[in-house]
Amino acid sequence: MAYDEKQKKRIMKYLEKLKEIRFRVKPEEYEKYEEAARSAGYSSMRQFYLDALDEKVKKISQTNLSERK
């Protein structure tokens, strides 16, 4: 199936609603993260990263709440 202008417009409209997070790691760090994701049953590195970020944010939020008490 050929890529047409309508598809391009739909994709661009969708991407406008998103923000991009990019970072680089050393190959040995990537291998460590990839192995951890695989052993935890993740099928994608993206979901592994998102879950790790969410976990860290939740931990920080809980710490901040307990410090306010």
Side-chain angles (χ1 to χ4, degrees), residues 15-60:
L15 292 175
E16 287 173 358
K17 297 176 184 179
L18 302 175
K19 294 285 186 183
E20 187 173 359
I21 300 173
R22 296 175 63 172
F23 59 96
R24 298 179 187 274
V25 296
K26 295 177 182 175
E28 60 271 13
E29 291 173 325
Y30 182 83
E31 291 169 8
K32 177 177 70 173
Y33 302 147
E34 189 176 39
E35 177 58 34
R38 221 180 336 208
S39 68
Y42 284 89
S43 60
S44 79
M45 291 299 292
R46 178 187 180 277
Q47 193 59 54
F48 177 72
Y49 295 145
L50 289 173
D51 285 354
L53 288 167
D54 285 339
E55 185 178 313
K56 187 69 171 183
V57 168
K58 186 184 289 185
K59 183 178 178 181
I60 290 168

